[in-house]
Amino acid sequence: MTGPDRATRRVTGSPWLRRFDAGPPSPDAPVIVLLPHAGGNAAYYRPFSPALSAHAEVLIAQYPGRQERLGEPVPECVGALVDGVQEALRPWRGRPLTVFGHSMGALVGYELTRRLERAGAGPRGLILSGRRSALLHRAEDVHLRGDDALIGTLTALAGTDARLLADPGFRELILPALRGDYKAVETYRHEPGPPLRAPVSVLIGASDPRVGAPEAMAWRELTEGAFTFRSFPGGHFYLNDMREAVTRALVEDLTAFTARPAPAGSPG
């Protein structure tokens, strides 16, 4: 493990969360937690961190089975990912929290928000990116396919450099996490419950083959809070080419959410 990785783990106190910003954050600063996509890792969000850190303490989830957690078993259900992130966030309980997740991270973020609200520590707001509503199940079996088909799915979404995906060593490293993450997403089933109280903001790429605007806007049914929707040019990984515009949207949402009163029953 490199020096920065060790420092990050000391700062957050958990391998589940990383922080790339230099220097200690204000103990009163709002917090935003960023949740990666299937096969993704904390480093994906590193380019977003500097701009966001001017407005909040930026925590990035690092799921098991990748990078410095490569030797750990990969969770194969969304609930296990939520368990890890929720426990890791305990030291920040009482701080104004915004949750952001892209693709699989959107499901993790939604279920995390449900859990936190039930525990009386609901976040100020939830931002969901690149994912259809949790109410809309689609039968998929990518996690059951062969290695080439699994890598082909990732290649088609243009989320990872094709040159890396063509390298056998790199493929061997990412396949277990990718397969486990796809299994988590594809076996997820929404369980009925009260709607969220938190406001929800939804972002998508206008040409995303995985989610259309009506599917994304169906998230509105799952909250009694305010709802906003934004569409950006690009596909499933529109964030790559639209980083500045997406960062501005995140800052706008973060600022608006933080200005809200603390949710009822929340210590923050």
Side-chain angles (χ1 to χ4, degrees):
M1 186 182 300
T2 65
D5 285 334
R6 287 196 300 270
T8 300
R9 290 184 68 167
R10 285 200 304 272
V11 166
T12 66
S14 170
W16 280 87
L17 295 174
R18 299 184 69 182
R19 188 168 69 81
F20 292 113
D21 313 319
S26 165
D28 301 319
V31 176
I32 184 168
V33 60
L34 310 180
L35 305 166
H37 54 278
N41 56 58
Y44 179 78
Y45 289 127
R46 187 167 194 162
F48 293 87
S49 187
L52 291 174
S53 65
H55 304 272
E57 182 174 359
V58 182
L59 302 175
I60 307 177
Q62 183 74 305
Y63 309 136
R66 59 215 81 199
Q67 292 189 312
E68 75 275 11
R69 305 192 69 186
L70 192 60
E72 300 179 43
V74 178
E76 295 185 340
C77 69
V78 169
L81 294 168
V82 175
D83 289 343
V85 177
Q86 181 182 14
E87 179 63 27
L89 283 171
R90 281 186 180 277
W92 287 269
R93 183 165 178 159
R95 300 263 293 276
L97 173 67
T98 292
V99 176
F100 170 81
H102 177 67
S103 197
M104 180 182 79
L107 284 181
V108 177
Y110 168 68
E111 290 294 342
L112 174 65
T113 300
R114 297 179 91 186
R115 291 261 201 98
L116 292 174
E117 288 194 345
R118 288 198 296 267
R124 298 294 177 89
L126 172 63
I127 309 171
L128 303 168
S129 169
R131 182 71 193 179
R132 64 185 178 275
S133 167
L135 292 172
L136 303 178
H137 173 66
R138 182 186 300 159
E140 296 173 311
D141 64 354
V142 174
H143 74 282
L144 297 175
R145 300 177 189 175
D147 291 350
D148 289 343
L150 188 59
I151 291 293
T153 299
L154 190 61
T155 303
L157 294 175
T160 304
D161 190 325
R163 292 169 296 182
L164 288 175
L165 294 176
D167 180 84
F170 180 77
R171 287 165 57 121
E172 184 177 352
L173 286 176
I174 69 167
L175 273 168
L178 185 62
R179 190 176 299 282
D181 289 352
Y182 266 94
K183 182 176 181 180
V185 170
E186 292 175 350
T187 59
Y188 170 84
R189 300 292 184 273
H190 184 266
E191 295 184 2
L196 298 179
R197 297 187 295 276
V200 172
S201 174
V202 171
L203 318 177
I204 65 166
S207 55
D208 188 342
R210 304 286 296 174
V211 54
E215 295 175 304
M217 293 185 72
W219 282 108
R220 184 195 299 269
E221 302 172 43
L222 291 172
T223 183
E224 59 186 22
F227 181 87
T228 58
F229 173 81
R230 299 181 183 88
S231 178
F232 297 85
H236 190 64
F237 285 97
Y238 69 94
L239 299 85
N240 296 349
D241 294 326
M242 300 299 297
R243 184 184 304 153
E244 291 187 8
V246 171
T247 302
R248 286 196 298 271
L250 295 184
V251 169
E252 288 175 7
D253 287 337
L254 171 66
T255 302
F257 294 160
T258 303
R260 293 178 62 237
S266 170

